[in-house]
Amino acid sequence: MKSVNLLEFDLDGLAAFCEQLGEKRFRATQLFRWIHQKGASDFAQMSDLAKSLREKLAGVAEVKPLTIASEQASTDGTIKWLFDVGGGDAVETVFIPEDDRGTLCVSSQAGCAVGCRFCSTGHQGFSRNLTTGEIVAQLWFAEHHLRKRLNLADGERAITNVVMMGMGEPLQNYSALVPALRVMLDDHGYGLSRRRVTVSTSGVVPMIDRLRDDCPVALAVSLHAPNDLLRDDLVPLNRKYPIAELLASCNRYLDAAPRDFITFEYCMLDGVNDTPEHARQLVHLVRDRVSCKCNLIPCNPSPESGLRRSPRERVTAFARVLQDAGVVTTIRKTRGDDIDAACGQLAGEVQDRTRVKERISTRAPIRIHREGPQGGSDTYNKQESKA
Ligand code: SF4
């Protein structure tokens, strides 16, 4: 008989499983606490469960961790794990420590089908959705591994915040995502507040509405462009759900959101979306229309994209235009640069089972405006510049 991985279940799911074994809900709660709060995977350890139940569980169930393929630690304390999820696929998870928090960046898919132009994951294509258990296993491993590694006192947490910003578009793996979020939020699980769990999306509008109804957590939207023409090119999903529809869904989401703003992520790409004019367009787009915060990301574009990170002074100037116009704006500190763990760099290993990779590689080059050697503005694209 195939063993059931208990990391696949939120508490209701585990209660239903226990019921099939003839056990009451409170047994499921005890089991859930052992797994998620204590990090136990050996049923023999679970001392307050009846011996008969422990034996029953050992015959039909397991707590299945992911296989660690590699671990890299940055000089700034960031840690990146590569987890083998079978079939030639591996996904990445990143721990980012700060003075007042520990954030875990979690993957939701092996690869990604959205194909954002600058993103390393996007350039690898798409293999498959992760299961709930594979999403939860990233947090389960990181929390309990780090508690030991960092020598934390009893009751102290290693992970205080989770961001679904690793590999994949979480809202394109909705049915696995929502139970995983419930495990994170459950007081018998990780007990994270809704404000400390963030789903980041490239803008899957119908699923933003469903998330609001099913499990509202903090929402970050990868905007990356202040107009449809440019966003169609950078984030191809925009052709299906253009900016006006996306912003309308953000406003609907705010009715239930645990924070009173949406975070707009904006990867700063040299000569592509980072001019003062783009900043003014962004002000016009969001100010007085959506309660939001803009987070400018000095992003590391995928090498295949031919794009570059905006210079620091351009990012600062862009931020100033937004701030002067009253738009709350932050510049994200880049972390884990030396281990390719920063935004845009997560790649893992993906067997592309779609034609996403091929579509990206045959896409027309984007127009890039960079200052020419004489100080004038030069417009060119990757292929022209090679000629
Ligand atoms: S940025 Fe996000 S949505 Fe876009 S391709 Fe990368 S992983 Fe997918």
Side-chain angles (χ1 to χ4, degrees):
M1 187 176 158
K2 203 164 167 258
S3 188
V4 174
N5 178 11
L6 301 185
L7 294 181
E8 296 289 346
F9 296 128
D10 60 13
L11 185 52
D12 285 346
L14 192 62
F17 176 73
C18 285
E19 202 179 313
Q20 286 171 18
L21 300 179
E23 299 290 338
K24 297 244 163 40
R25 187 179 173 100
F26 81 94
R27 289 291 179 211
T29 305
Q30 284 176 310
L31 182 54
F32 197 76
R33 292 169 68 104
W34 272 106
I35 296 169
H36 296 292
Q37 293 190 342
K38 299 198 169 88
S41 57
D42 179 359
F43 300 119
Q45 268 184 286
M46 303 181 182
S47 50
D48 57 357
L49 297 184
K51 192 157 176 266
S52 58
L53 173 57
R54 283 186 263 155
E55 285 169 358
K56 220 187 290 179
L57 286 169
V60 296
E62 64 183 323
V63 177
K64 193 171 172 214
L66 295 175
T67 305
I68 303 170
S70 69
E71 179 191 290
Q72 288 172 279
S74 161
T75 48
D76 68 14
T78 300
I79 303 171
K80 181 173 82 170
W81 293 283
L82 180 71
F83 291 110
D84 182 348
V85 292
D89 295 323
V91 300
E92 294 185 322
T93 308
V94 181
F95 172 64
I96 306 139
E98 286 169 275
D99 291 346
D100 59 342
R101 69 180 73 180
T103 302
L104 193 69
C105 179
V106 171
S107 291
S108 55
Q109 298 180 309
C112 183
V114 175
C116 298
R117 190 179 271 276
F118 50 85
C119 169
S120 294
T121 304
H123 277 264
Q124 289 206 309
F126 176 70
S127 178
R128 68 171 177 89
N129 284 328
L130 298 187
T131 67
T132 297
E134 289 168 331
I135 297 171
V136 170
Q138 297 169 61
L139 174 59
W140 182 79
F141 165 78
E143 174 64 39
H144 299 293
H145 169 79
L146 290 167
R147 277 189 203 174
K148 285 187 210 129
R149 182 167 170 158
L150 305 174
N151 239 334
L152 299 185
D154 250 5
E156 228 184 315
R157 280 184 194 162
I159 311 292
T160 60
N161 296 58
V162 170
V163 290
M164 296 300 307
M165 285 185 193
M167 295 169 65
E169 162 53 68
L171 294 186
Q172 286 188 339
N173 185 14
Y174 190 80
S175 59
L177 172 74
V178 168
L181 295 177
R182 290 191 175 127
V183 174
M184 296 171 195
L185 301 173
D186 201 304
D187 284 341
H188 300 294
Y190 298 86
L192 298 173
S193 87
R194 289 180 188 277
R195 300 162 64 92
R196 288 176 176 268
V197 175
T198 302
V199 167
S200 173
T201 179
S202 55
V204 192
V205 165
M207 293 301 159
I208 292 176
D209 287 329
R210 281 189 64 186
L211 189 68
R212 176 199 58 185
D213 296 339
D214 293 339
C215 191
V217 291
L219 186 70
V221 171
S222 302
L223 195 58
H224 307 319
N227 60 65
D228 281 322
L229 196 63
L230 183 54
R231 194 165 190 270
D232 280 353
D233 200 332
L234 290 176
V235 184
L237 193 67
N238 195 68
R239 291 178 212 142
K240 193 161 181 194
Y241 305 115
I243 291 176
E245 279 184 40
L246 179 58
L247 297 191
S249 74
C250 289
N251 273 322
R252 292 192 294 275
Y253 194 86
L254 282 166
D255 292 343
R259 291 178 181 272
D260 56 4
F261 61 88
I262 303 287
T263 303
F264 288 127
E265 309 284 359
Y266 196 101
C267 274
M268 299 293 294
L269 299 166
D270 182 18
V272 173
N273 62 356
D274 63 351
T275 65
E277 175 53 23
H278 289 124
R280 284 189 288 274
Q281 285 181 22
L282 185 55
V283 169
H284 182 69
L285 191 68
V286 300
R287 191 178 58 183
D288 305 327
R289 293 178 69 190
V290 187
S291 169
C292 68
K293 180 179 116 180
C294 288
N295 191 21
L296 306 182
I297 306 170
C299 158
N300 296 282
S302 136
E304 297 98 313
S305 70
L307 303 176
R308 296 195 313 220
R309 183 201 278 205
S310 300
R312 186 78 202 168
E313 53 290 0
R314 195 128 12 100
V315 178
T316 318
F318 195 97
R320 206 171 307 119
V321 174
L322 297 180
Q323 285 159 347
D324 288 351
V327 177
V328 179
T329 304
T330 51
I331 299 174
R332 187 185 292 173
K333 229 199 283 171
T334 66
R335 300 290 303 268
D337 254 349
D338 53 339
I339 54 167
D340 287 350
C343 182
Q345 290 184 312
L346 296 191
E349 284 161 25
V350 175
Q351 305 303 307
D352 186 22
R353 295 179 214 284
T354 62
R355 301 188 58 203
V356 174
K357 192 173 177 175
E358 189 186 313
R359 274 209 312 273
I360 292 180
S361 62
T362 55
R363 204 184 276 170
I366 197 166
R367 291 170 72 82
I368 301 174
H369 304 261
R370 286 191 188 128
E371 291 292 303
Q374 308 307 321
S377 179
D378 185 17
T379 301
Y380 66 101
N381 62 39
K382 194 177 143 206
Q383 285 178 358
E384 286 164 357
S385 68
K386 270 188 187 161

